Amino acid sequence: MEGYNITSISYVENATVYPREATILAAVCACIFSAVGVIGNLVTTVALLMHPKLRGHVTTMFVLSLCVSDLLFCGINLPLTASRYIRQRWTLGETMCQLFAFVFYGNEAVSLLSMVAITVNRYTLIAYYDMYSQIYTTTKIWIQLLLIWLVSFGFMVPPLLGIWGQLGLDPQTFSCTILPKDSRSPKKYLFMFGFALPCVVIIVSYSCIYWRVRESKRKLEGRSKLSGQTAKEKEEDSRLTTLMLTIFLCFLACFLPLMVMNVAYDRITYPWLHIIASILAWASSVINPLIYAATNRQYRAAYANLLKFCKNNAVTKRTTWGSRTVGQSSNSPNYGEKRNPLNDNPTKL
């Protein structure tokens, strides 16, 4: 560890000089996003699991995958990022640096592939409603989720092992990222197949959904059913599709600037722009709970249900505690002895 820190000092002369104001802003944003993101994604996860209707919804499983990914990013990556910007160097050693990059890019892939799964789910529901229940069984859903996480982090195994590129500290930006090895780096290929291709799939899928719904409305105008769905179900699914499209557009707006700069512009010519692009990328893991609460009635109901449960639980605890202090409640451990005088002379068998 000590040798690693000595090595890190040797590249200070070649490192990018970020304005101190920029690094302070980055550190403060990382701390705020970490706290807000952990709370928001944790609350969302619990709220969805506790809501009976949403818990059984297929889309909820993929949304939970997205929440867990964002929760890991906010709980692991952002605190370490804040430390890096405050110190303006990486001080936690080479192994932690590699793990940081592994979790960062793996989580990003999980988020994007979860959105792909959500989009395909939405399209299947609208285009193949009669086959939907056969395609999305419980077993098949879990297989999809398992594949999302295995593929996402599987892409990062070659650079982690040094087979194709490597994970380590970039001397230019004191950041832990994907580095070339023997003049070979998978960064641009990962960008193409791990970011650009899923984005294209999502955009095409939502375009197909839009045209499918538009054609269906035109043909079935005035009827109460659409492909076997009731009008209420159709309305709810339309809202949910709009919600997921909003999440994807926000993710794209947050991550695209950083991805373009990291891949297309390896040299840091404008440090402020890179700091702002990084802050936008961090924000993507925080805004999803806000989008859920602001745009979808069912998700607001889930949050309200959790809040109601917490309030009722707190009231129950206060009532129980008050009763125990008096000693006359049925919750009191001595209550049975006071109500049954025969306990003074127990029967011997």
Side-chain angles (χ1 to χ4, degrees):
M1 184 75 71
E2 184 178 353
Y4 184 82
N5 287 335
I6 293 174
T7 304
S8 67
I9 296 175
S10 63
Y11 60 72
V12 172
E13 295 181 357
N14 298 323
T16 300
V17 179
Y18 287 101
R20 187 54 180 164
E21 296 83 359
T23 58
I24 292 176
L25 174 64
V28 170
C29 289
C31 291
I32 295 174
F33 289 166
S34 177
V36 175
V38 167
I39 295 172
N41 287 290
L42 185 60
V43 168
T44 301
T45 301
V46 176
L48 294 181
L49 290 174
M50 289 184 60
H51 196 273
K53 187 174 182 179
L54 287 176
R55 186 173 58 229
H57 205 290
V58 174
T59 307
T60 301
M61 300 297 291
F62 299 111
V63 172
L64 287 173
S65 175
L66 189 61
C67 288
V68 172
S69 172
D70 290 340
L71 184 61
L72 291 175
F73 179 80
C74 293
I76 297 175
N77 289 99
L78 285 183
L80 297 178
T81 299
S83 172
R84 176 170 67 90
Y85 276 107
I86 289 174
R87 300 173 182 269
Q88 293 187 301
R89 61 188 178 118
W90 182 265
T91 60
L92 300 177
E94 185 175 6
T95 301
M96 282 296 296
C97 185
Q98 292 174 340
L99 291 177
F100 175 94
F102 182 79
V103 174
F104 177 86
Y105 288 103
N107 269 329
E108 180 186 337
V110 168
S111 297
L112 197 51
L113 290 184
S114 295
M115 293 180 199
V116 171
I118 290 170
T119 308
V120 173
N121 170 262
R122 297 286 88 203
Y123 177 74
T124 304
L125 178 65
I126 292 174
Y128 303 100
Y129 180 78
D130 295 335
M131 301 173 57
Y132 184 79
S133 59
Q134 300 175 6
I135 296 173
Y136 285 94
T137 62
T138 302
T139 302
K140 292 178 181 178
I141 292 171
W142 280 108
I143 291 175
Q144 290 183 52
L145 291 172
L146 182 62
L147 286 175
I148 286 172
W149 284 81
L150 288 178
V151 169
S152 298
F153 284 94
F155 276 135
M156 298 305 301
V157 171
L160 178 65
L161 299 178
I163 299 173
W164 187 17
Q166 60 184 342
L167 302 180
L169 193 64
D170 183 1
Q172 290 290 322
T173 61
F174 53 88
S175 62
C176 299
T177 184
I178 302 173
L179 301 175
K181 183 179 181 181
D182 300 328
S183 301
R184 297 172 63 244
S185 174
K187 181 178 283 189
K188 292 186 179 181
Y189 294 95
L190 290 176
F191 171 78
M192 182 178 298
F193 293 103
F195 185 83
L197 184 60
C199 286
V200 171
V201 172
I202 293 174
I203 292 171
V204 171
S205 297
Y206 275 119
S207 299
C208 292
I209 289 172
Y210 172 77
W211 288 109
R212 183 85 181 193
V213 171
R214 185 177 179 181
E215 289 297 318
S216 298
K217 285 183 177 179
R218 183 179 301 173
K219 293 179 181 179
L220 302 175
E221 186 176 2
R223 298 185 184 182
S224 61
K225 290 189 177 182
L226 176 62
S227 301
Q229 287 182 288
T230 64
K232 184 177 180 181
E233 288 174 341
K234 182 181 67 174
E235 183 182 359
E236 290 179 354
D237 286 327
S238 178
R239 287 201 201 98
L240 190 57
T241 301
T242 302
L243 169 63
M244 297 309 158
L245 176 59
T246 304
I247 291 173
F248 166 68
L249 292 176
C250 290
F251 178 88
L252 193 63
C254 289
F255 257 104
L256 189 58
L258 182 64
M259 293 299 297
V260 171
M261 287 190 173
N262 282 344
V263 175
Y265 302 100
D266 291 333
R267 296 182 179 179
I268 311 298
T269 307
Y270 304 100
W272 267 104
L273 291 181
H274 279 262
I275 293 290
I276 293 173
S278 296
I279 293 174
L280 283 175
W282 306 338
S284 68
S285 60
V286 178
I287 60 176
N288 285 347
L290 302 178
I291 297 174
Y292 299 145
T295 62
N296 191 272
R297 183 176 58 192
Q298 291 185 358
Y299 282 73
R300 286 197 297 271
Y303 290 128
N305 182 55
L306 177 61
L307 181 62
K308 182 179 179 181
F309 173 81
C310 293
K311 285 184 177 180
N312 291 339
N313 196 37
V315 171
T316 302
K317 284 184 177 181
R318 287 198 299 268
T319 304
T320 303
W321 176 255
S323 300
R324 285 179 177 176
T325 56
V326 175
Q328 300 296 327
S329 171
S330 59
N331 291 318
S332 172
N334 298 322
Y335 178 77
E337 297 178 4
K338 294 180 179 180
R339 289 294 304 269
N340 189 2
L342 296 178
N343 286 337
D344 295 333
N345 299 301
T347 304
K348 296 182 179 180
L349 299 179

